Amino acid sequence: MSIKDWPEQERPRERLLKFGANSLSDSELLAIFLRTGVKGLSAVELSRALIIRFGSLSNLIQSDKQHFCKGYGLGEAKYVLLQAVMEMASRCLYQRIGSHKTGNQKIEHQNIESQYIEQPQTLSSPCQTKAYLQSRLQHQKEEVFSVLFMDNRHTPLHFETLFHGTINAASVYPRVVVKRALFHNAAAVIVAHNHPSGSAEPSEADISITHKLADALSLVDIRLLDHFVIGHGEMTSLAEKGLLT
């Protein structure tokens, strides 16, 4: 049966308009994105089948092009559309919390790529800071390590992604973090990295590099306030777990 033949109060689009997007299930939201089903399956039935195949809506959204396009009823056009939607949502969130680009400043280091330096001006609470970091890192397909530089009142100064690849003592260089902190005249920093696997549980390597960073920063009178490990829809604070030092 086509969705058009469903009672109006059961149709995803009509329910979204009446009750809001948060009233819909994952499969109903995906059905609106897909717009149509395939032969023998309505858009909602297809969405349920896709979520089961990928394991979750998050896994589907974060899958690479090759795996995404193997999904029944999906293809390159849908993949491009999804990437555009995700990027618009991310930019909207950044603008809501007040970040803006201040220039394309190249960082000279073998493990650091050219990137925009961002100044999140209105991160005035721990909740906003967590939301900002989570929005920046949770959808990354590779592991990245980022730093939020702050003044002596813990007001954010700049945000930078410094390292890409597996995060361990060999790939994160405390001296580079210290150098960038001094460059921004920071009095404190918060570091964060993501786990593309989805788990936000800190590893032994995460704890080890945290201690190395705290020791290196303390030598120049800069405090490491926290280290966040970010998964899919969750994040762990090493400070809250008592693992910072």
Side-chain angles (χ1 to χ4, degrees):
M1 178 186 294
S2 169
I3 292 177
K4 293 181 180 179
D5 299 323
W6 293 10
E8 186 172 332
Q9 66 272 17
E10 295 182 14
R11 300 175 197 168
R13 292 181 186 176
E14 284 73 10
R15 288 184 55 224
L16 184 149
L17 291 171
K18 187 173 182 179
F19 301 110
N22 60 359
S23 68
L24 272 60
S25 66
D26 288 353
S27 58
E28 289 171 329
L29 289 170
L30 182 59
I32 292 175
F33 169 78
L34 294 176
R35 297 182 59 192
T36 60
V38 294
K39 187 176 181 179
L41 293 175
S42 69
V44 172
E45 291 167 336
L46 173 61
S47 297
R48 289 172 183 160
L50 287 169
I51 289 173
I52 290 172
R53 173 178 176 173
F54 282 87
S56 69
L57 179 62
S58 177
N59 288 345
L60 188 155
I61 288 173
Q62 297 187 77
S63 60
D64 58 28
K65 179 184 172 183
Q66 180 181 0
H67 289 92
F68 181 91
C69 292
K70 286 181 178 179
Y72 191 40
L74 302 177
E76 188 174 86
K78 283 287 191 295
Y79 179 79
V80 169
L81 179 60
L82 178 61
Q83 299 308 306
V85 169
M86 293 299 296
E87 181 61 21
M88 285 191 294
S90 295
R91 294 187 187 189
C92 180
L93 178 58
Y94 305 158
Q95 290 167 14
R96 284 176 58 190
I97 60 180
S99 65
H100 69 275
K101 293 181 175 76
T102 60
N104 192 7
Q105 179 174 345
K106 187 174 182 180
I107 302 173
E108 299 295 338
H109 188 270
Q110 59 181 357
N111 279 4
I112 305 175
E113 299 177 358
S114 300
Q115 59 201 271
Y116 285 104
I117 307 304
E118 297 186 3
Q119 186 173 5
Q121 291 182 318
T122 61
L123 301 182
S124 57
S125 71
C127 287
Q128 282 187 327
T129 301
K130 287 181 179 181
Y132 178 79
L133 293 173
Q134 190 166 26
S135 70
R136 291 309 314 266
L137 301 184
Q138 71 175 346
H139 296 301
Q140 295 285 340
K141 291 181 172 62
E142 66 172 348
E143 202 161 340
V144 298
F145 185 93
S146 302
V147 184
L148 186 62
F149 301 97
M150 314 180 88
D151 65 18
N152 56 7
R153 295 184 178 180
H154 300 169
T155 301
L157 299 170
H158 289 272
F159 174 86
E160 294 181 13
T161 294
L162 297 183
F163 305 102
H164 295 256
T166 302
I167 302 303
N168 55 47
S171 61
V172 174
Y173 296 85
R175 68 178 181 274
V176 175
V177 178
V178 171
K179 181 179 178 181
R180 299 306 299 168
L182 292 173
F183 175 84
H184 292 301
N185 197 28
V189 301
I190 292 175
V191 300
H193 80 280
N194 65 311
H195 283 174
S197 65
S199 170
E201 188 64 27
S203 66
E204 289 299 321
D206 297 337
I207 297 169
S208 175
I209 193 59
T210 300
H211 296 166
K212 291 178 183 294
L213 285 169
D215 291 342
L217 288 163
S218 68
L219 294 175
V220 289
D221 231 8
I222 298 173
R223 290 185 60 202
L224 176 61
L225 299 179
D226 209 338
H227 182 175
F228 289 106
V229 180
I230 298 170
H232 297 167
E234 61 181 53
M235 63 192 303
T236 298
S237 161
L238 269 68
E240 292 175 1
K241 282 182 154 301
L243 300 173
L244 207 58
T245 58

